[in-house]
Amino acid sequence: MMNNLKLVVFQLVITISYCFSASHEHRVPRLSLLRGVNIQKKSETKPTTISKGFTTYLYDQTLDHFNYNPQSYTTFKQRYDLNFKHWGGSRKNAPIFAFLGAEAPLGRHPRVGYMTENAPRFRALQVYIEHRFYGESNPLGSMKKSLENTTIRGYFNSAQALADYAEILIYLKDKLSAHNSPIIVVGASYGGMLAAWFRLKYPHVVHGALASSSPILYFDDITSDDAYFEAVSKDFWEVSESCYRTIQKSWLEIDKIASKPHGLAFLSKKFKTCKQLRDSEELKYYLSSMYAGAAQYDAPPTYPVTQVCGGINGAPNGTDILGRIISGIDAYSDKKCHDTDDTLSDESDMGWNWQTCTELVIPIAYGDHTMFPPSNFSLSEWSKDCRRSFGVEPRPHWITTYYGGQDIKLVLKKFASNIIFTNGLRDPYSTGGVLQNISDSLVAVVTTNGSHCLDILSSQPDDPEWLVTQRKTVFHILEGWIKEYYATLNATHKVAL
C-alpha cells in the first residue's frame, strides 16, 4: 500500500496480545453515518452500493504532515472517488462538493444522497475522500497491522486526516484548473465534526461546511456525560411508558437469573446468543447497545424504537419481563442468534476504539434518570482500559485545545462563518450538537423528530414533510453562500460566470 516502507523495519511493534477492546461500560457508541449496531431486520437495510458515474483514484498521501523526520516523508495510498457527471466545469467555476470520510470504509459512504441529488442543481463535482487508516487507505494494509505498529498508528488522528483532505482538494483544484471553484465540504457524525473543524482550520481551502449530526460539544465536560443515555431513555418514554418501565426492570431480572446455578446457560438459550454468555454484563451491554442504536437511528418509516416497544408491549398476556424483552428484540431483529461477544473484529470498530482512546474522549455515562442501571464515567477507568488495549494514555482535553468548544457561541461568532449544523432531536448525540444559531452564517437546522444523519441520506417518496423542509432549508443556505461567493469573485477578479 505504501510507496516507501523501508523505515518500518526500525519501528517497534506491539505484541498481538493487545485485545483492541474496552470494557462494556466504557465503549463509546459509534459516530457512524450507518448503523453502529447492525442488528435490525435485513429488509430494513438500505443498499450501500456506490452510485453509477463514480471513478476511484488513489492519491500518494503524506504520512505525517506536521514533522520533517525521515519517516514523515513516507507515503501511502489514499482512496478518493470522483463523479464528473453534473459538473459545470472549471471554466464556469462550478462548485465542488467534497464528502469527508469518517470511521468506515469509503464504500459505505455514497449513501449520502444529499450530495448526489443536489449535484445537478449546483452543477457540482462530487468528491468522496476516505479517512486515513480506514478501508483501502491504510498505510500497512489492515487496521490490525497498523494499530500493532507503535510508530505508524501515531499518525492516526483527526488533525492528520484534515490535512489529508486539504492536500487532496488543493491537488484536485490544481489538476482540474478549478482554482476559482468554491468547495463545500459535507460530513456526517464524526465526519460532521471533521467538516466543521475543516472550515475552521482551512478556510482558504473550503468555502462552507455542512455538518450533519456532529456532537462537537460532547468533549471536556461541555455536555453532561449522561446526556446520551438520558436522550435514549427519553425516546423510549415518549413512545411508551410501559415499554420504558419493562426495560428498566429487566436489568435486575437478568442479574437475578445469572446469579443462579446454570443461570448463564439459561439466559444464553433464552436470548439465543451465538455463544454462551460469560457474565450478565455481556448481555446487558448488548441490549443497551441495541436500545441506543434504535434511538440513534430512529428514522421513518420503520421507527426502530416503536418497533422494539411494539414487540415488548405486544407480547401475550402473562409473558414475564424477559419474555417481553425478547419479543422486543424479535420485532427489531431477524437474526438466528445474537452475537454478544464484543471483541472488536471489525476493522472500523478497531479504528474507532483507537481514536476514542487517544483524542476523541467522549464521556458516556448511565445517569440516575434513565432506564439503564446507573454507571458513572470514570476517566481513570477509561485510561486503564486504553493502557491495557493500546498502551496509550487518553488526552481528554486535546480536542477542545486544538479545535475549541468551550464558550462556542462567543468564540465562533468572532471569526467563524459558513457552517450548517443539522441535528434531529431523537438522535442521542444531538445533546452534544450545536442546536441554536450562532450568527447569520453559523446556522443550526434542527428537527424534533429527526435521527442520526437522516437529513443527508437519500430522499424517499414517503419522507415526512418536516424532513423535506429541513433539506430544502439547507439547500437554500448553500445556494446563498455560493451566490455570494460568485458575486465577490466577480467583483474582485472580474471573472465571467
Side-chain angles (χ1 to χ4, degrees):
M1 292 291 291
M2 300 176 64
N3 291 347
N4 179 13
L5 284 176
K6 293 180 181 178
L7 291 165
V8 172
V9 295
F10 299 105
Q11 298 163 345
L12 296 174
V13 177
I14 300 178
T15 60
I16 298 176
S17 61
Y18 282 150
C19 62
F20 302 123
S21 65
S23 65
H24 301 298
E25 294 84 357
H26 303 114
R27 186 72 59 78
V28 179
R30 279 275 298 279
L31 271 167
S32 177
L33 169 63
L34 306 182
R35 288 193 48 76
V37 184
N38 188 24
I39 59 173
Q40 67 183 131
K41 293 188 175 181
K42 293 179 183 178
S43 60
E44 296 161 14
T45 304
K46 297 178 181 178
T48 61
T49 55
I50 193 165
S51 303
K52 292 182 179 180
F54 283 90
T55 303
T56 294
Y57 299 86
L58 295 176
Y59 179 78
D60 289 330
Q61 187 59 264
T62 306
L63 180 64
D64 180 11
H65 298 283
F66 304 111
N67 286 287
Y68 299 92
N69 298 317
Q71 67 266 28
S72 299
Y73 291 87
T74 304
T75 62
F76 67 96
K77 300 293 186 181
Q78 184 168 17
R79 176 184 169 179
Y80 66 95
D81 293 347
L82 298 180
N83 189 329
F84 290 93
K85 182 178 180 180
H86 304 291
W87 193 38
S90 59
R91 291 185 179 182
K92 296 291 186 181
N93 300 309
I96 298 171
F97 285 174
F99 181 79
L100 306 185
E103 80 282 19
L106 189 60
R108 302 181 189 178
H109 283 149
R111 286 180 60 187
V112 182
Y114 192 87
M115 280 178 54
T116 303
E117 292 171 3
N118 286 286
R121 303 171 73 181
F122 286 101
R123 302 170 68 197
L125 168 66
Q126 295 179 68
V127 184
Y128 285 76
I129 310 175
E130 191 167 63
H131 192 296
R132 61 168 49 204
F133 283 71
Y134 290 103
E136 298 177 32
S137 303
N138 195 290
L140 295 183
S142 78
M143 185 68 73
K144 187 173 184 295
K145 288 182 180 179
S146 290
L147 290 182
E148 286 172 353
N149 189 293
T150 55
T151 299
I152 291 295
R153 68 181 188 174
Y155 305 113
F156 185 8
N157 58 66
S158 62
Q160 296 280 8
L162 293 183
D164 290 343
Y165 301 142
E167 189 168 313
I168 288 177
L169 291 172
I170 291 172
Y171 161 79
L172 285 175
K173 291 187 77 171
D174 183 64
K175 182 180 179 181
L176 300 172
S177 299
H179 306 288
N180 292 320
S181 291
I183 297 175
I184 301 293
V185 291
V186 179
S189 202
Y190 164 51
M193 291 194 282
L194 293 173
W197 293 335
F198 193 77
R199 171 61 182 166
L200 298 179
K201 293 292 187 180
Y202 295 90
H204 56 289
V205 177
V206 59
H207 182 60
L210 169 56
S212 173
S213 298
S214 56
I216 62 171
L217 304 181
Y218 217 129
F219 296 99
D220 212 5
D221 297 324
I222 300 173
T223 298
S224 173
D225 57 16
D226 59 3
Y228 181 92
F229 278 103
E230 279 196 0
V232 173
S233 301
K234 181 174 179 289
D235 287 350
F236 276 83
W237 177 276
E238 289 177 348
V239 168
S240 168
E241 181 181 349
S242 62
C243 172
Y244 174 103
R245 297 296 185 194
T246 299
I247 294 171
Q248 193 175 48
K249 294 174 184 176
S250 68
W251 312 114
L252 186 60
E253 191 66 19
I254 290 171
D255 284 335
K256 180 180 176 182
I257 294 175
S259 66
K260 295 179 180 180
H262 311 296
L264 289 175
F266 174 83
L267 288 172
S268 300
K269 183 177 180 180
K270 191 174 183 68
F271 280 89
K272 296 184 292 185
T273 62
C274 299
K275 297 178 182 178
Q276 181 160 322
L277 295 167
R278 294 164 294 184
D279 52 45
S280 63
E281 294 302 316
E282 182 180 340
L283 177 59
K284 291 194 293 184
Y285 175 78
Y286 181 79
L287 292 174
S288 64
S289 297
M290 182 192 74
Y291 301 139
Q296 189 164 316
Y297 302 93
D298 195 33
T302 56
Y303 291 104
V305 173
T306 300
Q307 282 185 310
V308 174
C309 286
I312 290 174
N313 295 337
N317 291 335
T319 304
D320 63 13
I321 289 176
L322 294 191
R324 291 186 178 277
I325 297 297
I326 291 168
S327 293
I329 296 174
D330 290 342
Y332 183 51
S333 169
D334 59 3
K335 288 186 176 293
K336 293 181 179 178
C337 71
H338 299 286
D339 187 5
T340 58
D341 186 351
D342 67 343
T343 301
L344 297 179
S345 57
D346 177 84
E347 293 215 335
S348 294
D349 283 340
M350 288 182 189
W352 180 241
N353 207 38
W354 163 262
Q355 290 193 270
T356 56
C357 261
T358 50
E359 60 172 349
L360 299 175
V361 181
I362 302 173
I364 300 288
Y366 300 86
D368 295 328
H369 305 293
T370 73
M371 63 183 189
F372 302 93
S375 176
N376 295 328
F377 174 79
S378 168
L379 181 59
S380 62
E381 288 299 316
W382 183 276
S383 300
K384 186 188 299 182
D385 285 339
C386 294
R387 288 194 299 270
R388 183 173 63 246
S389 295
F390 301 107
V392 297
E393 192 77 23
R395 297 179 181 175
H397 309 298
W398 178 243
I399 288 295
T400 53
T401 300
Y402 191 66
Y403 299 112
Q406 306 284 359
D407 298 319
I408 192 169
K409 291 182 180 179
L410 177 64
V411 174
L412 292 192
K413 194 171 185 177
K414 293 180 180 179
F415 77 95
S417 63
N418 290 11
I419 305 174
I420 305 171
F421 298 97
T422 60
N423 280 282
L425 298 184
R426 294 198 68 75
D427 172 19
Y429 268 127
S430 68
T431 56
V434 176
L435 304 180
Q436 295 180 338
N437 292 351
I438 297 174
S439 69
D440 290 342
S441 65
L442 296 172
V443 185
V445 181
V446 180
T447 58
T448 301
N449 295 319
S451 59
H452 200 62
C453 303
L454 178 61
D455 57 293
I456 64 168
L457 297 184
S458 298
S459 60
Q460 303 296 323
D462 55 356
D463 281 339
E465 187 59 34
W466 54 263
L467 179 56
V468 174
T469 300
Q470 182 184 31
R471 289 172 175 154
K472 286 181 178 178
T473 299
V474 171
F475 172 85
H476 290 308
I477 295 171
L478 294 177
E479 185 180 45
W481 290 352
I482 292 174
K483 286 181 178 178
E484 181 183 41
Y485 171 86
Y486 286 144
T488 303
L489 181 67
N490 187 45
T492 55
H493 296 286
K494 303 299 181 183
V495 175
L497 301 174

